[in-house]
Amino acid sequence: VITVIAGGVGAARFLRGLMAVVDPGDITAIVNVGDDVVLHGLHVSPDLDTVTYTLAGAIDPERGWGLAEESWQAMAMVRRYGGIDWFNLGDRDLGTHLYRTHRLGQGATLAEVTAEIVRSWDLALRVLPASNDPIETRVTLRDADDISQNDALPAGTEINFQEYFVKRHHAVPVSAVRFVGAEHSFPAPGVLEAIESADTVVIAPSNPLVSIAPVLAVPGVREAIVARRRNVVAVSPIIAGTALKGPADRMLTELGHEASVLGVARLYRELAATLMVDHADAANAAGIHHEGMHPVLVRSIMSTPQRAASLALATISAAHRPEPTSAPHPTVTDR
Amino acid sequence: VITVIAGGVGAARFLRGLMAVVDPGDITAIVNVGDDVVLHGLHVSPDLDTVTYTLAGAIDPERGWGLAEESWQAMAMVRRYGGIDWFNLGDRDLGTHLYRTHRLGQGATLAEVTAEIVRSWDLALRVLPASNDPIETRVTLRDADDISQNDALPAGTEINFQEYFVKRHHAVPVSAVRFVGAEHSFPAPGVLEAIESADTVVIAPSNPLVSIAPVLAVPGVREAIVARRRNVVAVSPIIAGTALKGPADRMLTELGHEASVLGVARLYRELAATLMVDHADAANAAGIHHEGMHPVLVRSIMSTPQRAASLALATISAAHRPEPTSAPHPTVTDR
């Protein structure tokens, strides 16, 4: 039984690999909701949908987000009216947001709606939002910003995560991140139990600062993971100092961390006993050990479903290695 | 300067005809909002959109509602999830609702959003919602109803207008209609002034009971029209006892009126001095006169834009006929 703490694209690919090597009925994904956003009155849950669409084989393979065979008629009309068009919502994708918004309006919880959506895609794994309560990731702009000529923002302005990530293509430096609402949120039903009862808890290769951190910010979640530390394996989203996708590397630097597997180790060492890192980072193995984590070297770039499955298998195997010794020799898999 | 009290399809066709014979800048349409509905969290204004799309030449000519060249990808997804699919929203049409909902969420009034949408379609006439406040037309089922096997409704159940009109294809008898919220609503800015300052006020050929009545139910509107009675012309939506579109004829009977131009005359006689009726109803001219209205016989079926223009021209001409005499002879135009 495996529980995966998940963000969007990286986590979705990891989960797809995991589903190839573990009975999907034994997998629970606990997914970030900090980048959920209300657009045009619709509740959009980007990470939940990326996970669902990817696992259903319905994700657009080129974009990496949204649905394949998508059309953009609704957005073309929004554009005609001069509405918000920086967050592109495909017509098929809109159907998901229409359904979610309708059900939430009826009083269903986000966890209930998510379960319904996942079931509609014939997926057997369990997908849980980290919380049913609204959590909003917000970032503070380090510099003045004039993406819109009409309303330049002064340095120090705090903006919604999607305004950073999508509207500004995460191309502007940030000086702080916080998760509004998190401190008063509750874990969704099943979240703590899934962490407590799992054989292995995996922290997926997602952005530690804006994908994993908002999950950990839900009261009780971090503590539950810390309590399982021996059976927690984190997969580094940083390979040779670089994030394969997204701004994790720049964000780490901007927010005072090191953009390396060592920086990741320092963020996760209290949570996970084991850190999966790419062979490219073999030189950091001793450093990771020094931070108190057991490094496991793998091929961690999930360029194909097979690579993702291989990474997933290595990850869950790493969690069940024998009692750690003090030897600083990393485990090496599938070189 | 012409002000038209408008519902959906019939009014839209009349307005299209009017725009062919009067400077659009001199036309104001005051449109029913009683059948507005929130679906999937989106604010849908069917009559406002039918008017706008029709005048923009963008309406789907076969369906008579929604946009031409429409696709249905979002609804297909909603159906996959088992969501509400009885109210069909096309992908392009969704763009309108997304924009409207977004702007209302920002605090814009329905009148402001409507003006923005109308401008985006390059229309020069003024389109006003009857009110910025929520008004919900509800009808009472005369008989028990089992459209959904799972939740049969007992006779006397009150349901939302769209659940009657769209979900039940207006195929079930009703025993009452009311406009929830109307009594506490205010006319949208400009509505009363448009009635007071118009050379002619036209009551469009729309359903008197569920399209025109909700406009009249906004406090102040009926009184403003009554005060202009001499310059108010109503166009009968009933021709030879039949509504060309929709359930107006059956509703008239079900709610205790006569499904004829005489029934229409009795509903409108306090509001309008003149009633435009089709030549098919020539035999009722004396009866209409007896009800205190001046009957004008026209070809009132708007089967082509030319016919609509001709009806519009006859209608505004009828408003400017000489002082009425007591003679019961109807005016006859374009026989």
Side-chain angles (χ1 to χ4, degrees):
Chain A
V1 178
I2 315 279
T3 293
V4 180
I5 312 298
V9 176
R13 289 184 182 163
F14 181 86
L15 283 162
R16 186 170 53 185
L18 189 61
M19 281 175 68
V21 296
V22 172
D23 180 346
D26 288 337
I27 303 173
T28 297
I30 298 173
V31 181
N32 171 40
V33 293
D35 53 3
D36 283 23
V37 63
V38 175
L39 287 165
H40 321 285
L42 299 179
H43 186 112
V44 180
S45 295
D47 281 355
L48 284 169
D49 289 346
T50 294
V51 166
T52 302
Y53 295 167
T54 300
L55 299 184
I59 201 92
D60 184 279
E62 265 116 69
R63 291 193 310 274
W65 55 269
L67 287 162
E69 292 162 49
E70 189 57 283
S71 60
W72 308 91
Q73 297 245 62
M75 286 309 292
M77 287 291 290
V78 167
R79 211 162 281 129
R80 161 190 280 269
Y81 296 131
I84 291 185
D85 65 352
W86 53 264
F87 197 104
N88 228 346
L89 295 170
D91 298 325
R92 299 184 69 209
D93 189 36
L94 271 171
T96 304
H97 312 315
L98 293 173
Y99 178 75
R100 179 186 291 117
T101 304
H102 164 61
R103 292 285 293 127
L104 292 174
Q106 287 184 317
T109 64
L110 184 58
E112 288 166 349
V113 183
T114 300
E116 291 163 7
I117 291 173
V118 167
R119 203 171 328 147
S120 296
W121 286 102
D122 294 322
L123 295 172
L125 89 166
R126 185 163 62 144
V127 179
L128 298 175
S131 176
N132 283 327
D133 304 318
I135 296 172
E136 184 192 1
T137 300
R138 294 180 69 83
V139 302
T140 302
L141 298 174
R142 196 192 68 191
D143 305 327
D145 180 275
D146 61 350
I147 186 175
S148 158
Q149 307 287 356
N150 299 327
D151 62 310
L153 301 176
T157 304
E158 191 183 63
I159 60 174
N160 172 276
F161 177 72
Q162 299 297 354
E163 290 178 34
Y164 160 75
F165 194 77
V166 178
K167 190 172 185 181
R168 288 169 178 77
H169 312 286
H170 51 73
V172 295
V174 301
S175 58
V177 177
R178 67 182 183 119
F179 312 112
V180 177
E183 68 177 298
H184 301 298
S185 70
F186 292 90
V191 162
L192 297 184
E193 295 77 357
I195 296 168
E196 288 158 5
S197 65
D199 296 310
T200 303
V201 176
V202 177
I203 298 176
S206 298
N207 186 319
L209 303 172
V210 292
S211 295
I212 302 300
V215 180
L216 302 176
V218 177
V221 172
R222 169 180 274 274
E223 294 74 5
I225 297 175
V226 167
R228 299 299 315 280
R229 183 178 184 280
R230 265 210 59 212
N231 302 106
V232 180
V233 187
V235 183
S236 175
I238 300 291
I239 299 177
T242 303
L244 286 182
K245 195 165 168 62
D249 44 9
R250 279 179 288 111
M251 284 191 108
L252 282 165
T253 305
E254 290 161 20
L255 296 171
H257 307 281
E258 192 175 308
S260 72
V261 291
L262 286 180
V264 174
R266 284 174 200 134
L267 284 166
Y268 287 154
R269 61 186 168 191
E270 289 173 19
L271 299 158
T274 307
L275 182 63
M276 310 298 291
V277 301
D278 194 83
H279 291 293
D281 288 304
N284 285 120
I288 292 167
H289 200 272
H290 183 75
E291 296 296 338
M293 296 182 88
H294 180 74
V296 177
L297 299 181
V298 288
R299 294 175 78 158
S300 73
I301 301 181
M302 296 179 285
S303 49
T304 64
Q306 292 71 29
R307 286 282 168 80
S310 167
L311 173 63
L313 189 59
T315 301
I316 57 174
S317 308
H320 297 282
R321 70 199 158 75
E323 264 315 282
T325 67
S326 60
H329 303 297
T331 306
V332 178
T333 71
D334 71 317
R335 177 98 214 194
Chain B
V1 178
I2 316 281
T3 293
V4 180
I5 313 298
V9 176
R13 288 183 182 164
F14 181 87
L15 283 161
R16 186 170 54 185
L18 189 62
M19 282 176 68
V21 296
V22 171
D23 181 346
D26 289 336
I27 302 172
T28 297
I30 298 174
V31 181
N32 171 41
V33 293
D35 53 3
D36 283 23
V37 61
V38 175
L39 288 166
H40 321 285
L42 298 178
H43 186 112
V44 180
S45 295
D47 281 355
L48 285 167
D49 290 345
T50 294
V51 166
T52 303
Y53 294 167
T54 299
L55 299 183
I59 201 92
D60 184 281
E62 267 118 69
R63 289 194 309 275
W65 57 267
L67 287 162
E69 292 162 48
E70 188 57 283
S71 59
W72 308 91
Q73 297 245 62
M75 286 308 294
M77 287 290 291
V78 167
R79 212 162 280 131
R80 162 192 280 270
Y81 296 131
I84 291 184
D85 64 352
W86 53 264
F87 197 103
N88 227 346
L89 296 169
D91 298 326
R92 298 184 70 211
D93 188 38
L94 272 171
T96 303
H97 313 315
L98 293 173
Y99 178 75
R100 179 185 292 117
T101 304
H102 165 61
R103 291 285 293 127
L104 292 174
Q106 286 185 318
T109 65
L110 184 58
E112 288 166 348
V113 183
T114 301
E116 291 164 7
I117 291 173
V118 167
R119 203 171 328 144
S120 296
W121 286 101
D122 294 322
L123 295 172
L125 89 166
R126 185 164 60 144
V127 179
L128 299 175
S131 177
N132 283 327
D133 304 317
I135 296 173
E136 183 192 1
T137 299
R138 295 179 70 83
V139 302
T140 302
L141 299 174
R142 196 192 67 189
D143 305 326
D145 180 274
D146 60 352
I147 186 175
S148 158
Q149 308 287 357
N150 299 326
D151 63 308
L153 301 177
T157 304
E158 192 183 63
I159 59 174
N160 173 276
F161 177 72
Q162 298 298 354
E163 289 177 35
Y164 160 73
F165 193 77
V166 177
K167 191 171 184 181
R168 289 168 179 76
H169 312 287
H170 51 74
V172 295
V174 301
S175 57
V177 177
R178 67 183 184 118
F179 312 112
V180 177
E183 68 177 297
H184 301 297
S185 71
F186 291 91
V191 163
L192 297 184
E193 296 77 357
I195 296 168
E196 287 158 5
S197 65
D199 296 312
T200 303
V201 175
V202 177
I203 298 176
S206 298
N207 186 318
L209 303 173
V210 292
S211 295
I212 302 300
V215 180
L216 303 176
V218 178
V221 172
R222 168 178 274 273
E223 294 74 5
I225 297 175
V226 166
R228 298 299 316 280
R229 182 178 185 279
R230 263 210 62 212
N231 302 106
V232 180
V233 187
V235 183
S236 175
I238 300 291
I239 299 177
T242 304
L244 286 181
K245 196 168 167 60
D249 43 9
R250 278 180 287 113
M251 284 191 108
L252 282 165
T253 306
E254 289 160 20
L255 296 171
H257 307 283
E258 191 176 309
S260 73
V261 291
L262 286 181
V264 174
R266 284 172 202 135
L267 285 166
Y268 286 155
R269 62 186 167 191
E270 289 172 20
L271 299 157
T274 307
L275 182 64
M276 310 297 291
V277 301
D278 194 83
H279 291 293
D281 288 304
N284 286 119
I288 293 168
H289 199 274
H290 183 74
E291 297 295 338
M293 297 181 88
H294 180 75
V296 178
L297 299 179
V298 288
R299 295 174 77 158
S300 72
I301 301 182
M302 295 179 286
S303 49
T304 64
Q306 293 70 30
R307 286 282 167 81
S310 168
L311 173 63
L313 189 58
T315 301
I316 58 175
S317 306
H320 298 284
R321 70 200 159 75
E323 265 314 284
T325 68
S326 59
H329 303 298
T331 305
V332 179
T333 72
D334 70 319
R335 176 100 215 192

